[in-house]
Amino acid sequence: MYVGFCWLIAAIGGFLFGYDIGISGGVTAMDDFLIKFFPKIYERKLEAKEDNYCKYDNQYLQLFTSSLYISALIASFIASILCKKCGRRTTIMVAGACFIAGAGISAGALGLKMLILGRIVFGFGVGFGNEAVPLFLSEVAPVQHRGAVNILFQLFITIGILVANLVNYAVSKVHPFGWRISLGLTGVPAIILFFGSMIIVETPASLMERGKESEACHTLKKIRGVGDVDAEFDQLKISSEKAKEIGSPWKNLLKKSSIPPLVIGVMLQIFQQFTGINAIMFYAPILFQTIGFKNKGSLLSAVVTGTFNVLSTLIAIWRVDKAGRKKLLLVASVILFISQTTIGVILSTHLKPTGSLSPTLGYLVLGLVCVYVIAFACSWGPLGWLIPSETFPLETRTSGFAVSVGTNMLCTAIIAQAFLTMMCSMHAYIFFFFAAWIVVMGLFVLFLLPETKNVPIDAMCDQVWSKHWFWRRFIEDDGSKEIV
């Protein structure tokens, strides 16, 4: 019960990340929000002949979304240091405090600068939370259930997105401050995260990393529920001693033996974002308005896709430790490619700059978006976080995962800042752009991603990298050599 409580409290960090993803697209589709902060876009919406693909093209509107991820990128590297020096639990607590402050600033925003400041503070919460929570979940989970436990983070992201969509739909009828309610409600789960982080246990790996050996042993017995943890504790101790021999974890990332997990961690984060998922999640209401749904209809459609997102992540929890990581990613890549290209064909053929899709085609596109979301939520969504969190050795775990998180935030910021402009210039062909990325990522998984199912987190080097046809050359060579 206590261990489950720790998992759930930590996973609220994922909920807050998802809520911030879902809330931004909803409030930017609210007329009251546009009138206050983006009046030119509101006027453009009223133009009957305005280009369907360009009506929301505004750099400041996109900055409202992307500013969060730019600050999260910076925060993730600060969080790496905090994770190592003070532990995962303290870092989660700091994330909660940032979310509370961000909620207050955003909900009370009087102008665009204050609004974006609130998003930046939110971003620090995302950066700290996304660094600490996946590490926390991977380190406290038993090896046979590590995949399922870690995916709690992604599950709560999807729940956060769904709740944000439901809130947006409900408060869209509250004039003129419905958007303030949407942004301010972030404070509720943030308070739970902040105070809950005072109750949860610190991870044994973090305690050992900071020289608290007896406390690490006691905690390990507590979270495993048994007295005999000698084998796991010995493995943890060996990893910790090896980590202490390394002066700087950042410098150690430059060593040849660090290349396999670093490349995998970075590329999975790039690919996760260039599936186009957050372009759809950020701007789902705007996207559905573009293809012809009215304002409330577009918000309701976002709720539908959010529901499928949650349910599909439950499938990932069920299958990840049985089917394995690689199989889920490959099957999903095929489905993602088919859905993206089909949406692109329909829109390029039937959605002109003015006018809208027929109801039949509109609902067909909505269905394809749901298929796309289902495939992503079963695979690239949760596994993009799981695999990097379980493949780095202890000596580079916080720094390596910080690079992965930072890469994710950078790519997310790029997509958030560029998507509406890209849609304006590329029209429906933007879906073919993302489809091309899906082909590349599928080939990467097929040839370069090893299977990590049921492998102890501190045995990845011996059981995974040293046996892979390509990556073993980096392990077999002298691991002390740095990349020049």
Side-chain angles (χ1 to χ4, degrees):
M1 292 274 304
Y2 174 72
V3 175
F5 173 79
C6 291
W7 294 345
L8 292 175
I9 288 295
I12 290 174
F15 177 93
L16 285 159
F17 182 33
Y19 189 85
D20 283 329
I21 291 173
I23 216 69
S24 59
V27 297
T28 52
M30 295 180 189
D31 289 344
D32 293 327
F33 180 83
L34 293 176
I35 291 170
K36 183 167 183 62
F37 297 108
F38 305 99
K40 291 183 179 179
I41 296 179
Y42 178 72
E43 293 170 5
R44 199 186 301 167
K45 273 184 67 178
L46 302 179
E47 293 290 332
K49 295 183 179 180
E50 179 63 34
D51 192 319
N52 276 319
Y53 294 98
C54 297
K55 64 177 74 173
Y56 288 97
D57 180 22
N58 181 282
Q59 288 300 311
Y60 286 109
L61 180 64
Q62 293 173 112
L63 183 62
F64 166 73
T65 300
S66 66
S67 57
L68 185 150
Y69 301 97
I70 295 170
S71 65
L73 168 63
I74 298 169
S76 63
F77 292 100
I78 301 173
S80 168
I81 299 171
L82 189 63
C83 262
K84 187 173 182 64
K85 299 293 184 183
C86 302
R88 286 42 161 167
R89 184 175 65 175
T90 299
T91 309
I92 293 172
M93 187 185 302
V94 173
C98 290
F99 280 120
I100 293 170
I105 296 171
S106 298
L110 301 176
L112 183 58
K113 290 182 180 178
M114 187 174 176
L115 181 72
I116 292 178
L117 175 62
R119 296 292 288 176
I120 291 172
V121 176
F122 270 142
F124 273 86
V126 169
F128 282 105
N130 285 18
E131 170 72 14
V133 172
L135 289 178
F136 179 92
L137 293 173
S138 286
E139 290 176 350
V140 299
V143 61
Q144 69 271 24
H145 301 305
R146 189 178 64 240
V149 171
N150 189 277
I151 290 177
L152 280 175
F153 179 68
Q154 178 67 21
L155 175 64
F156 272 62
I157 290 176
T158 63
I159 294 173
I161 293 171
L162 175 59
V163 170
N165 290 333
L166 290 168
V167 169
N168 285 333
Y169 181 71
V171 304
S172 65
K173 307 167 188 176
V174 181
H175 303 289
F177 51 82
W179 61 271
R180 293 189 188 276
I181 298 174
S182 290
L183 295 173
L185 283 177
T186 311
V188 177
I191 291 171
I192 297 173
L193 180 67
F194 179 77
F195 287 104
S197 63
M198 299 177 184
I199 303 172
I200 62 176
V201 70
E202 182 57 274
T203 72
S206 177
L207 291 168
M208 184 70 77
E209 187 177 36
R210 290 179 285 139
K212 300 180 180 182
E213 187 172 317
S214 60
E215 193 175 341
C217 184
H218 173 75
T219 302
L220 189 60
K221 291 177 181 179
K222 185 176 182 178
I223 63 176
R224 294 293 178 258
V226 295
D228 183 12
V229 293
D230 291 346
E232 186 174 358
F233 183 75
D234 289 343
Q235 182 67 54
L236 185 61
K237 191 174 181 179
I238 292 170
S239 298
S240 178
E241 289 172 352
K242 185 177 179 182
K244 288 177 182 177
E245 295 173 0
I246 306 300
S248 168
W250 295 100
K251 186 178 180 181
N252 201 46
L253 277 178
L254 299 176
K255 292 185 176 178
K256 214 167 186 179
S257 58
S258 297
I259 290 178
L262 185 62
V263 171
I264 293 295
V266 167
M267 294 309 297
L268 285 181
Q269 299 293 351
I270 293 173
F271 290 146
Q272 185 195 67
Q273 292 309 307
F274 279 87
T275 58
I277 184 63
N278 276 341
I280 289 178
M281 288 302 173
F282 291 151
Y283 301 115
I286 291 175
L287 178 64
F288 290 130
Q289 282 191 26
T290 297
I291 64 176
F293 289 90
K294 300 302 181 183
N295 189 41
K296 289 183 180 179
S298 66
L299 290 172
L300 185 59
S301 298
V303 171
V304 172
T305 58
T307 302
F308 279 110
N309 199 13
V310 173
L311 296 177
S312 302
T313 305
L314 292 172
I315 297 175
I317 291 175
W318 171 51
R319 295 301 302 167
V320 67
D321 289 315
K322 297 177 181 177
R325 286 72 160 141
K326 190 166 184 173
K327 184 175 181 180
L328 288 177
L329 290 172
L330 287 172
V331 172
S333 295
V334 174
I335 299 172
L336 290 171
F337 177 79
I338 293 172
S339 57
Q340 283 276 32
T341 52
T342 307
I343 291 171
V345 169
I346 292 173
L347 296 187
S348 62
T349 306
H350 298 283
L351 183 63
K352 305 306 177 184
T354 57
S356 60
L357 292 177
S358 67
T360 301
L361 287 176
Y363 285 113
L364 177 58
V365 170
L366 174 60
L368 288 167
V369 169
C370 289
V371 170
Y372 167 87
V373 168
I374 290 169
F376 178 86
C378 288
S379 57
W380 286 93
L383 299 183
W385 295 107
L386 167 61
I387 295 173
S389 74
E390 68 182 3
T391 50
F392 285 102
L394 184 60
E395 62 265 25
T396 58
R397 190 168 300 156
T398 56
S399 55
F401 194 65
V403 173
S404 295
V405 173
T407 302
N408 185 286
M409 295 299 105
L410 176 62
C411 293
T412 305
I414 292 170
I415 294 295
Q417 188 64 37
F419 176 70
L420 296 179
T421 299
M422 290 173 66
M423 189 165 71
C424 179
S425 59
M426 297 175 69
H427 289 195
Y429 293 97
I430 190 171
F431 293 96
F432 298 121
F433 169 80
F434 288 123
W437 274 95
I438 291 169
V439 172
V440 174
M441 58 201 246
L443 293 173
F444 180 88
V445 170
L446 181 62
F447 293 108
L448 294 176
L449 182 70
E451 181 57 69
T452 57
K453 177 183 71 171
N454 293 333
V455 179
I457 196 169
D458 291 308
M460 289 290 171
C461 183
D462 294 334
Q463 297 187 29
V464 174
W465 303 119
S466 62
K467 296 181 179 179
H468 189 270
W469 72 272
F470 180 77
W471 299 120
R472 67 187 178 193
R473 70 192 68 186
F474 297 96
I475 306 301
E476 291 168 353
D477 289 345
D478 184 5
S480 64
K481 294 179 180 178
E482 293 183 9
I483 304 168
V484 180

PDB file of all heavy atoms in Angstrom, residues 380-393:
ATOM      1  N   TRP A 380       5.181   4.894 -28.282  1.00  0.00           N
ATOM      2  CA  TRP A 380       6.163   5.967 -28.243  1.00  0.00           C
ATOM      3  C   TRP A 380       5.934   6.919 -27.078  1.00  0.00           C
ATOM      4  O   TRP A 380       6.896   7.507 -26.574  1.00  0.00           O
ATOM      5  CB  TRP A 380       6.161   6.731 -29.559  1.00  0.00           C
ATOM      6  CG  TRP A 380       6.805   5.957 -30.657  1.00  0.00           C
ATOM      7  CD1 TRP A 380       6.182   5.139 -31.555  1.00  0.00           C
ATOM      8  CD2 TRP A 380       8.204   5.879 -30.936  1.00  0.00           C
ATOM      9  NE1 TRP A 380       7.110   4.550 -32.380  1.00  0.00           N
ATOM     10  CE2 TRP A 380       8.354   4.997 -32.027  1.00  0.00           C
ATOM     11  CE3 TRP A 380       9.331   6.467 -30.377  1.00  0.00           C
ATOM     12  CZ2 TRP A 380       9.607   4.690 -32.560  1.00  0.00           C
ATOM     13  CZ3 TRP A 380      10.583   6.164 -30.918  1.00  0.00           C
ATOM     14  CH2 TRP A 380      10.705   5.288 -31.996  1.00  0.00           C
ATOM     15  N   GLY A 381       4.696   7.076 -26.639  1.00  0.00           N
ATOM     16  CA  GLY A 381       4.428   7.948 -25.506  1.00  0.00           C
ATOM     17  C   GLY A 381       5.108   7.459 -24.240  1.00  0.00           C
ATOM     18  O   GLY A 381       6.012   8.118 -23.700  1.00  0.00           O
ATOM     19  N   PRO A 382       4.723   6.286 -23.720  1.00  0.00           N
ATOM     20  CA  PRO A 382       5.340   5.800 -22.478  1.00  0.00           C
ATOM     21  C   PRO A 382       6.772   5.321 -22.642  1.00  0.00           C
ATOM     22  O   PRO A 382       7.614   5.540 -21.771  1.00  0.00           O
ATOM     23  CB  PRO A 382       4.421   4.647 -22.064  1.00  0.00           C
ATOM     24  CG  PRO A 382       3.757   4.192 -23.325  1.00  0.00           C
ATOM     25  CD  PRO A 382       3.596   5.425 -24.154  1.00  0.00           C
ATOM     26  N   LEU A 383       7.091   4.671 -23.766  1.00  0.00           N
ATOM     27  CA  LEU A 383       8.420   4.077 -23.911  1.00  0.00           C
ATOM     28  C   LEU A 383       9.495   5.119 -24.173  1.00  0.00           C
ATOM     29  O   LEU A 383      10.679   4.887 -23.894  1.00  0.00           O
ATOM     30  CB  LEU A 383       8.404   3.032 -25.034  1.00  0.00           C
ATOM     31  CG  LEU A 383       7.447   1.850 -24.798  1.00  0.00           C
ATOM     32  CD1 LEU A 383       7.557   0.827 -25.918  1.00  0.00           C
ATOM     33  CD2 LEU A 383       7.725   1.196 -23.461  1.00  0.00           C
ATOM     34  N   GLY A 384       9.098   6.272 -24.691  1.00  0.00           N
ATOM     35  CA  GLY A 384      10.057   7.356 -24.865  1.00  0.00           C
ATOM     36  C   GLY A 384      10.627   7.831 -23.540  1.00  0.00           C
ATOM     37  O   GLY A 384      11.757   8.325 -23.474  1.00  0.00           O
ATOM     38  N   TRP A 385       9.846   7.663 -22.464  1.00  0.00           N
ATOM     39  CA  TRP A 385      10.322   8.008 -21.119  1.00  0.00           C
ATOM     40  C   TRP A 385      10.918   6.798 -20.408  1.00  0.00           C
ATOM     41  O   TRP A 385      11.898   6.917 -19.675  1.00  0.00           O
ATOM     42  CB  TRP A 385       9.164   8.571 -20.279  1.00  0.00           C
ATOM     43  CG  TRP A 385       8.638   9.864 -20.781  1.00  0.00           C
ATOM     44  CD1 TRP A 385       7.454  10.088 -21.421  1.00  0.00           C
ATOM     45  CD2 TRP A 385       9.285  11.135 -20.709  1.00  0.00           C
ATOM     46  NE1 TRP A 385       7.322  11.416 -21.752  1.00  0.00           N
ATOM     47  CE2 TRP A 385       8.431  12.082 -21.326  1.00  0.00           C
ATOM     48  CE3 TRP A 385      10.506  11.573 -20.181  1.00  0.00           C
ATOM     49  CZ2 TRP A 385       8.755  13.433 -21.423  1.00  0.00           C
ATOM     50  CZ3 TRP A 385      10.827  12.920 -20.285  1.00  0.00           C
ATOM     51  CH2 TRP A 385       9.964  13.826 -20.893  1.00  0.00           C
ATOM     52  N   LEU A 386      10.322   5.636 -20.613  1.00  0.00           N
ATOM     53  CA  LEU A 386      10.763   4.434 -19.893  1.00  0.00           C
ATOM     54  C   LEU A 386      12.186   4.025 -20.266  1.00  0.00           C
ATOM     55  O   LEU A 386      13.036   3.824 -19.392  1.00  0.00           O
ATOM     56  CB  LEU A 386       9.796   3.277 -20.175  1.00  0.00           C
ATOM     57  CG  LEU A 386      10.271   1.881 -19.754  1.00  0.00           C
ATOM     58  CD1 LEU A 386      10.496   1.824 -18.252  1.00  0.00           C
ATOM     59  CD2 LEU A 386       9.277   0.816 -20.199  1.00  0.00           C
ATOM     60  N   ILE A 387      12.448   3.872 -21.549  1.00  0.00           N
ATOM     61  CA  ILE A 387      13.728   3.306 -21.985  1.00  0.00           C
ATOM     62  C   ILE A 387      14.927   4.154 -21.553  1.00  0.00           C
ATOM     63  O   ILE A 387      15.896   3.622 -21.000  1.00  0.00           O
ATOM     64  CB  ILE A 387      13.719   3.054 -23.506  1.00  0.00           C
ATOM     65  CG1 ILE A 387      12.674   1.971 -23.839  1.00  0.00           C
ATOM     66  CG2 ILE A 387      15.096   2.619 -24.004  1.00  0.00           C
ATOM     67  CD1 ILE A 387      12.437   1.750 -25.321  1.00  0.00           C
ATOM     68  N   PRO A 388      14.917   5.490 -21.732  1.00  0.00           N
ATOM     69  CA  PRO A 388      16.069   6.269 -21.242  1.00  0.00           C
ATOM     70  C   PRO A 388      16.241   6.198 -19.726  1.00  0.00           C
ATOM     71  O   PRO A 388      17.368   6.262 -19.225  1.00  0.00           O
ATOM     72  CB  PRO A 388      15.746   7.702 -21.691  1.00  0.00           C
ATOM     73  CG  PRO A 388      14.819   7.535 -22.844  1.00  0.00           C
ATOM     74  CD  PRO A 388      13.998   6.328 -22.516  1.00  0.00           C
ATOM     75  N   SER A 389      15.142   6.070 -18.989  1.00  0.00           N
ATOM     76  CA  SER A 389      15.247   6.049 -17.522  1.00  0.00           C
ATOM     77  C   SER A 389      15.813   4.741 -16.991  1.00  0.00           C
ATOM     78  O   SER A 389      16.276   4.678 -15.850  1.00  0.00           O
ATOM     79  CB  SER A 389      13.868   6.299 -16.894  1.00  0.00           C
ATOM     80  OG  SER A 389      13.026   5.171 -17.022  1.00  0.00           O
ATOM     81  N   GLU A 390      15.815   3.677 -17.813  1.00  0.00           N
ATOM     82  CA  GLU A 390      16.267   2.377 -17.326  1.00  0.00           C
ATOM     83  C   GLU A 390      17.592   1.924 -17.927  1.00  0.00           C
ATOM     84  O   GLU A 390      18.132   0.893 -17.530  1.00  0.00           O
ATOM     85  CB  GLU A 390      15.195   1.312 -17.610  1.00  0.00           C
ATOM     86  CG  GLU A 390      14.991   1.002 -19.079  1.00  0.00           C
ATOM     87  CD  GLU A 390      13.885  -0.021 -19.339  1.00  0.00           C
ATOM     88  OE1 GLU A 390      13.244  -0.450 -18.364  1.00  0.00           O
ATOM     89  OE2 GLU A 390      13.670  -0.374 -20.514  1.00  0.00           O
ATOM     90  N   THR A 391      18.146   2.671 -18.888  1.00  0.00           N
ATOM     91  CA  THR A 391      19.328   2.190 -19.605  1.00  0.00           C
ATOM     92  C   THR A 391      20.641   2.848 -19.185  1.00  0.00           C
ATOM     93  O   THR A 391      21.713   2.315 -19.472  1.00  0.00           O
ATOM     94  CB  THR A 391      19.154   2.376 -21.127  1.00  0.00           C
ATOM     95  OG1 THR A 391      18.749   3.719 -21.394  1.00  0.00           O
ATOM     96  CG2 THR A 391      18.115   1.416 -21.677  1.00  0.00           C
ATOM     97  N   PHE A 392      20.586   4.011 -18.530  1.00  0.00           N
ATOM     98  CA  PHE A 392      21.826   4.647 -18.085  1.00  0.00           C
ATOM     99  C   PHE A 392      22.340   3.986 -16.808  1.00  0.00           C
ATOM    100  O   PHE A 392      21.559   3.708 -15.892  1.00  0.00           O
ATOM    101  CB  PHE A 392      21.607   6.141 -17.810  1.00  0.00           C
ATOM    102  CG  PHE A 392      21.490   6.981 -19.049  1.00  0.00           C
ATOM    103  CD1 PHE A 392      20.249   7.409 -19.497  1.00  0.00           C
ATOM    104  CD2 PHE A 392      22.626   7.348 -19.769  1.00  0.00           C
ATOM    105  CE1 PHE A 392      20.130   8.188 -20.635  1.00  0.00           C
ATOM    106  CE2 PHE A 392      22.515   8.129 -20.911  1.00  0.00           C
ATOM    107  CZ  PHE A 392      21.263   8.550 -21.345  1.00  0.00           C
ATOM    108  N   PRO A 393      23.665   3.752 -16.692  1.00  0.00           N
ATOM    109  CA  PRO A 393      24.226   3.250 -15.431  1.00  0.00           C
ATOM    110  C   PRO A 393      24.150   4.337 -14.357  1.00  0.00           C
ATOM    111  O   PRO A 393      23.980   5.522 -14.672  1.00  0.00           O
ATOM    112  CB  PRO A 393      25.679   2.929 -15.800  1.00  0.00           C
ATOM    113  CG  PRO A 393      25.984   3.825 -16.962  1.00  0.00           C
ATOM    114  CD  PRO A 393      24.695   3.941 -17.732  1.00  0.00           C
TER     115      PRO A 393
END
